Amino acid sequence: MTTLLAAATNESLADLSNKLVYASMAVYTLAFLAHITEWVFGSRSKVGRTAAALTAQKAAAGAPAVQVRQKGGGTAVLDKPEVVTRSASGTRDVPDGPGAAGGTEKGDLYGRIAVSLTVLGFLIEAAGVVSRAMSVERAPWGNMYEFSVTFSTVAVGAYLLLLALKKNVRWLGLILITTVLLDLGIATTWLYTDSDQLVPALHSYWLWIHVSTAIFCGAVFYIGAAGAVLYLFRDSYESHLEAGRTVGKFRSSVLERLPSAASLDKFSYRINAAVFPLWTFTIVAGAIWAGDAWGRYWGWDPKEVWSFVTWVAYACYLHARATAGWKGRKAAYLALFAFACWIWNYYGVNILLSGKHSYAGV
């Protein structure tokens, strides 16, 4: 009787988890629409354009003179020294855009609504992950469906944490919510697996350590990759302006509110550099777990190989920036290649290849 009651409770929790995931998708969809509306209404207002034009005219006219009062009561007029802020070698001296909130008051209102909806969607999705864990009485990362749902939860959580730390990253919201909806759509449509117990080899506390760090690293690597993608768009826009080419109004309205290409390049680098040591720990933890579960620390399993390839790709990216001074487009392409290795390690290896890690289907 007790066993039947426990089974019924677990089934109810699994059903609740599914409903919460779908509910989070509905809320994220509203957040997506709010972000779209923010960018539409967030075009620089007439007041903002006028202020920018006046600033440009003032700069073109030259810096004002400085009056210095002498001891004898007279004054001497000196030229105000020009202060130039130098950016890194190979980059432009371009100020950051004001972010997604750089438009009208109405646009900023929709942006705050989008963030509020994102917070709500995150809380609902996190509750779905917890419900799934309670239904199976283990860590909710035993198959690709559970991994994907937790991955998107952590990615959104990392974004909200950056906002809570007063970082100007609201410009990331639209691309983040779009890809989170894509991730959840794939998870619920093609990757869904009924909750079940794990094979005996995976009943270990290393599941909590190894898989949780892998999910966290992937989510943060994703944010770094998003920064690299936006860098490429912004860099192309700045190159067009530098060459004197005409830029469309819509493109200008969107890209003017992003951080400068140099800032996006630095953002992506710092994100990837910060999480790389944890990815190293993830591989080491996986090797230790493999020694406990299978009697060997490394066996060139496809998952192990591509985890190492991903590590090498990110190591090359960080090494190139530190020693060869790689910045800009070359570094962005290398960062995106490294993240593509991570994506292949997740989708391609799990679905197309077989090995020791093929223990739970999808």
Side-chain angles (χ1 to χ4, degrees):
M1 185 67 180
T2 303
T3 303
L4 293 176
L5 182 60
T9 302
N10 291 343
E11 185 176 350
S12 298
L13 287 171
D15 184 58
L16 174 63
S17 174
N18 296 338
K19 291 178 179 178
L20 288 172
V21 170
Y22 280 109
S24 70
M25 292 176 65
V27 176
Y28 283 144
T29 301
L30 295 177
F32 169 80
L33 295 175
H35 274 301
I36 290 290
T37 307
E38 174 189 21
W39 285 101
V40 170
F41 283 99
S43 300
R44 292 180 67 183
S45 64
K46 183 177 180 180
V47 174
R49 291 195 301 269
T50 302
L54 290 175
T55 301
Q57 292 174 6
K58 183 177 179 181
V66 178
Q67 290 187 344
V68 179
R69 186 170 300 278
Q70 297 176 335
K71 290 183 179 180
T75 59
V77 179
L78 304 175
D79 291 332
K80 184 177 181 180
E82 183 179 1
V83 179
V84 178
T85 302
R86 296 290 181 187
S87 59
S89 176
T91 60
R92 309 173 188 88
D93 292 309
V94 179
D96 289 342
T104 63
E105 183 177 351
K106 181 183 290 187
D108 186 56
L109 172 63
Y110 283 112
R112 293 195 301 271
I113 292 174
V115 172
S116 299
L117 288 170
T118 302
V119 172
L120 178 59
F122 166 75
L123 294 175
I124 294 174
E125 188 180 10
V129 173
V130 173
S131 299
R132 180 81 173 196
M134 294 173 63
S135 70
V136 293
E137 299 179 350
R138 58 167 172 79
W141 312 312
N143 50 62
M144 289 185 68
Y145 168 76
E146 296 173 352
F147 191 103
S148 295
V149 173
T150 308
F151 171 88
S152 60
T153 305
V154 174
V156 175
Y159 164 70
L160 294 176
L161 177 61
L162 290 174
L163 285 177
L165 295 175
K166 307 298 182 183
K167 304 297 182 181
N168 179 23
V169 294
R170 207 164 86 192
W171 44 268
L172 187 61
L174 180 59
I175 188 173
L176 173 72
I177 296 304
T178 302
T179 48
V180 162
L181 283 171
L182 177 63
D183 173 72
L184 291 176
I186 293 174
T188 55
T189 304
W190 290 296
L191 301 180
Y192 180 78
T193 304
D194 290 330
S195 58
D196 200 356
Q197 295 303 313
L198 298 176
V199 296
L202 299 183
H203 284 285
S204 170
Y205 60 89
W206 283 106
L207 175 66
W208 292 91
I209 300 172
H210 171 65
V211 183
S212 64
T213 53
I215 292 172
F216 179 81
C217 289
V220 180
F221 278 146
Y222 159 74
I223 292 178
V229 169
L230 292 177
Y231 160 79
L232 293 174
F233 283 106
R234 174 74 188 202
D235 181 67
S236 177
Y237 169 72
E238 291 180 9
S239 296
H240 277 69
L241 293 181
E242 192 175 37
R245 301 175 188 171
T246 302
V247 180
K249 182 179 179 181
F250 174 78
R251 184 183 181 190
S252 176
S253 173
V254 172
L255 294 178
E256 275 184 3
R257 286 179 282 131
L258 290 177
S260 67
S263 294
L264 287 169
D265 180 52
K266 186 183 299 183
F267 171 82
S268 179
Y269 169 67
R270 287 179 173 176
I271 289 291
N272 290 326
V275 79
F276 178 74
L278 191 60
W279 181 247
T280 304
F281 170 78
T282 301
I283 296 176
V284 173
I288 296 174
W289 187 12
D292 291 344
W294 301 317
R296 87 313 183 263
Y297 294 103
W298 193 266
W300 300 104
D301 182 77
K303 177 70 68 173
E304 296 169 350
V305 170
W306 278 98
S307 294
F308 180 67
V309 169
T310 303
W311 184 91
V312 171
Y314 275 108
C316 290
Y317 164 75
L318 297 175
H319 179 74
R321 289 197 63 122
T323 58
W326 273 29
K327 292 179 176 62
R329 301 188 76 85
K330 291 189 296 184
Y333 289 138
L334 187 52
L336 292 176
F337 171 76
F339 184 68
C341 290
W342 192 94
I343 290 294
W344 167 257
N345 187 31
Y346 178 53
Y347 286 106
V349 172
N350 284 354
I351 295 175
L352 301 178
L353 303 179
S354 60
K356 284 281 190 179
H357 288 78
S358 304
Y359 46 76
V362 297

